[in-house]
Amino acid sequence: DIQMTQSPSFVSASVGDRVTITCRASQGIGAWLAWYQQKTGEAPKVLISGASSLQSGVPSRFSGSGSGTDFSLTITSLQPDDFATYYCLQTKNFPYTFGQGTTLELK
Amino acid sequence: QVQLQESGPGLVKPSQTLSLTCTISGESISDGRYHWSWIRQHPEKGLEWIGYIYFNDNTYKNPSLESRLSISLDTSRNQFYLTLTSVTAADTAVYYCARVTTGYKHFDRWGPGLTVTVSS
């Protein structure tokens, strides 16, 4: 299985901050990576697919980059609605695997 | 706008079989553009892909569950199903059904999730 390792696991930030979350794959996955946001009690919501394609309706302060084994999700100018848990997902190989999650907390 | 909704028991006894249904509205399950998937999330933990099914009955399952897992569909009901045998407390989780897009595959539509507890 491809292991997906996110860092950091927790991050404290303030409204208006810029935050970057990274995801590393245990082997190359090209651009077969998506990013999700999950709020407590809700299903995950896709933000980015194909490593860098912003989904329709997702604010432009979210951006994704990377290919191969190293990827990042950047949120510029954090808004109150952004405090949540973020996951990466690889769909290059079966079984599909998620990162362990990064919780973004209000400082 | 496609919507997915999970249904099934909230409580299952150990060693029994868990059966869940995902009902799709706003789109035909026979639409060849998509796969249909199950995902679960253990309490306070991360996400685990269970498997998916295509309209022609082709299935892809997580090897960690494959020996206990069945995924099927009914095009006339626009539903797909998960059956997991010999459940244990480790199968306690929120179970989601989701749509898998083509291209760079990802889960783009999710049901709200169903909490399943395995306990006697």
Side-chain angles (χ1 to χ4, degrees):
Chain A
D1 298 6
I2 297 176
Q3 305 303 313
M4 306 299 291
T5 303
Q6 287 181 234
S7 60
S9 295
F10 296 92
V11 57
S12 293
S14 301
V15 172
D17 284 354
R18 174 190 175 103
V19 168
T20 296
I21 299 166
T22 64
C23 183
R24 174 165 288 178
S26 60
Q27 64 187 76
I29 60 170
W32 294 84
L33 185 108
W35 288 100
Y36 289 83
Q37 177 192 69
Q38 186 179 32
K39 298 180 179 177
T40 302
E42 297 183 7
K45 170 190 170 185
V46 61
L47 303 173
I48 303 276
S49 66
S52 60
S53 295
L54 194 68
Q55 295 297 287
S56 175
V58 176
S60 59
R61 62 181 180 273
F62 291 90
S63 64
S65 65
S67 68
T69 60
D70 294 306
F71 302 85
S72 63
L73 172 71
T74 298
I75 313 169
T76 58
S77 189
L78 276 170
Q79 299 301 300
D81 192 49
D82 300 338
F83 293 93
T85 300
Y86 293 84
Y87 294 93
C88 59
L89 163 71
Q90 72 80 20
T91 57
K92 177 70 167 71
N93 288 350
F94 293 116
Y96 296 166
T97 46
F98 292 86
Q100 81 280 13
T102 296
T103 299
L104 178 53
E105 299 175 327
L106 181 61
K107 187 183 290 184
Chain B
Q1 176 81 345
V2 64
Q3 291 187 319
L4 295 89
Q5 180 68 56
E6 305 87 354
S7 59
L11 180 65
V12 183
K13 289 183 167 47
S15 80
Q16 291 191 341
T17 295
L18 169 64
S19 297
L20 299 179
T21 298
C22 182
T23 301
I24 303 162
S25 58
E27 190 164 280
S28 170
I29 198 170
S30 299
D31 188 327
R33 291 176 293 170
Y34 305 109
H35 294 75
W36 305 93
S37 189
W38 290 100
I39 299 147
R40 69 182 183 180
Q41 185 167 31
H42 296 97
E44 306 300 325
K45 292 193 178 166
L47 296 152
E48 178 183 29
W49 175 72
I50 297 171
Y52 72 54
I53 189 165
Y54 196 43
F55 78 99
N56 61 3
D57 269 339
N58 282 349
T59 57
Y60 300 84
K61 302 173 194 175
N62 194 320
S64 68
L65 297 168
E66 191 165 12
S67 63
R68 300 190 291 129
L69 178 64
S70 174
I71 301 176
S72 59
L73 60 78
D74 185 332
T75 56
S76 66
R77 294 176 181 268
N78 222 37
Q79 295 175 331
F80 64 106
Y81 311 100
L82 173 150
T83 303
L84 189 63
T85 62
S86 304
V87 298
T88 70
D91 296 309
T92 293
V94 177
Y95 285 76
Y96 296 100
C97 58
R99 187 178 76 173
V100 186
T101 67
T102 54
Y104 280 114
K105 286 186 171 60
H106 61 279
F107 310 113
D108 70 333
R109 294 288 186 270
W110 297 63
L114 179 71
T115 299
V116 175
T117 301
V118 179
S119 175
S120 54

